[in-house]
Amino acid sequence: MSRSTVELTESEWSVIKAVWENEPCTAPVIREKLFLPTGWTYSTVRTLMDRMVVKGVLKARKEGKLTIYQSVVTRAQAQRGELFYTLKHAFNGALTPMVQCLLENHQLDAKELGKLESLIKAKRKSAKK
């Protein structure tokens, strides 16, 4: 996929996570993995996966009568898409209120805060260059 980010629906997230854990894989394998949490039939899973191929999230190849699927997007690309979607729609593109919301509503220990501070310091250094 040429884009660095992608937006996935909730159903597509379920499928792509199962694909990442089992790739290369077939629709019956993904249906088996998702049946208990979703109750989806084979045709539902196959339709989702085929739509994800059209969307450029998965690729498919035929091996005899089987269709083998693999992911085209990485976990990082999918996460970035989700993050940017939230930033755009929930925070009108404003990063500071989003980070403030996370800091106020998520328990962070000293180690996590230290990591965040290090990331900010490194970004400051690279921005000065």
Side-chain angles (χ1 to χ4, degrees):
M1 183 160 219
S2 60
R3 298 180 303 176
S4 61
T5 62
V6 63
E7 291 179 9
L8 300 173
T9 66
E10 188 174 339
S11 297
E12 290 170 340
W13 268 106
S14 297
V15 170
I16 195 72
K17 286 177 184 178
V19 169
W20 285 329
E21 292 173 6
N22 298 281
E23 65 186 323
C25 58
T26 62
V29 168
I30 300 306
R31 186 252 180 208
E32 185 179 316
K33 295 288 181 184
L34 297 177
F35 183 72
L36 283 178
T38 65
W40 291 342
T41 63
Y42 168 78
S43 61
T44 299
V45 172
R46 179 67 189 249
T47 298
L48 272 168
M49 293 178 82
D50 288 342
R51 286 181 183 164
M52 291 170 75
V53 169
V54 171
K55 193 173 179 177
V57 176
L58 297 178
K59 62 182 175 181
R61 71 179 190 281
K62 283 292 217 183
E63 282 187 14
K65 292 184 179 185
L66 288 176
T67 303
I68 309 297
Y69 295 90
Q70 272 189 279
S71 63
V72 176
V73 298
T74 65
R75 193 176 297 268
Q77 287 171 314
Q79 289 169 336
R80 201 171 15 261
E82 191 77 11
L83 179 65
F84 289 144
Y85 179 88
T86 301
L87 179 65
K88 178 180 172 185
H89 294 280
F91 296 94
N92 295 322
L95 183 61
T96 302
M98 186 173 97
V99 172
Q100 182 179 358
C101 179
L102 289 169
L103 290 171
E104 290 173 352
N105 294 289
H106 188 74
Q107 296 292 354
L108 298 173
D109 60 23
K111 186 176 180 181
E112 287 176 305
L113 284 170
K115 285 181 185 178
L116 290 172
E117 288 171 345
S118 294
L119 289 170
I120 291 170
K121 284 179 187 176
K123 190 65 175 174
R124 250 193 211 119
K125 273 186 178 180
S126 70
K128 288 180 183 179
K129 293 180 181 179

